[in-house]
């Protein structure tokens, strides 16, 4: 093999390797992180003035909420916060609806929508309405 053929062969191998890398890189799914807390309120713990709203929010350990992907391939799963009322998930990018579920001493809560972006962390506060309510 002379020097010219050896160089051409080496360039062909480099081109094939580069092409293989590009294909593998394009199949990687973009992901982001969802971190947050679960909180619960039972209303105002004491007297309040008329017209004032009083909500005392506390960490809610082992709280469950439903997470539904709204964009792209739909997916529904139940998430449970840890003993400190915190959670962190790695998710495909897109929009998700988080719905607090009814469980012991809570009726659930209002759903919220979050958007997960590539290589970013989105923060969420999932809030539950407890019962019995203090007035």
């Amino acid at each position: 093999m002379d020097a010219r053929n050896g160089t051409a062969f080496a360039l062909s191998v480099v081109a094939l390797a580069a092409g293989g890398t590009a294909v593998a890189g394009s199949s990687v799914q973009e992901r982001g992180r969802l971190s947050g807390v679960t909180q619960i309120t039972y209303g105002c713990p004491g007297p309040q003035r008329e017209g004032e709203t009083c909500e005392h929010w506390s960490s809610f350990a082992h709280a469950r909420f439903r997470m539904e992907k709204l964009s792209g391939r739909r997916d529904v799963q139940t998430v449970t916060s840890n003993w400190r009322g915190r959670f962190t998930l790695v998710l495909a990018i897109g929009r998700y609806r988080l719905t607090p579920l009814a469980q012991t001493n809570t009726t659930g809560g209002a759903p919220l929508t979050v958007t997960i972006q590539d290589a970013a962390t989105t923060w969420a506060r999932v809030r539950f309405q407890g019962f019995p309510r203090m007035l």
Side-chain angles (χ1 to χ4, degrees), residues 20-133:
T21 302
V23 171
S26 66
S27 65
V28 174
Q29 188 175 19
E30 297 151 334
R31 298 202 170 269
R33 187 178 307 271
L34 173 64
S35 292
V37 297
T38 52
Q39 296 179 325
I40 191 167
T41 184
Y42 293 95
C44 190
Q48 67 186 43
R49 294 185 179 165
E50 190 173 323
E52 283 185 350
T53 58
C54 178
E55 296 289 330
H56 177 74
W57 294 97
S58 302
S59 292
F60 187 21
H62 308 291
R64 293 185 335 268
F65 60 93
R66 185 178 70 228
M67 182 176 67
E68 177 182 6
K69 190 165 193 292
L70 300 175
S71 56
R73 184 176 152 251
R74 289 198 180 274
D75 185 26
V76 178
Q77 64 184 33
T78 300
V79 177
T80 304
S81 63
N82 69 12
W83 62 275
R84 291 180 32 201
R86 300 193 183 281
F87 59 90
T88 298
L89 305 162
V90 176
L91 301 169
I93 61 170
R95 291 180 46 229
Y96 293 82
R97 180 177 296 123
L98 311 178
T99 305
L101 299 174
Q103 48 211 298
T104 305
N105 295 327
T106 178
T107 57
L112 69 139
T113 302
V114 296
T115 302
I116 304 301
Q117 297 178 352
D118 188 31
T121 299
T122 301
W123 177 260
R125 188 176 296 141
V126 182
R127 290 187 155 175
F128 295 76
Q129 296 295 319
F131 71 87
R133 301 266 314 153

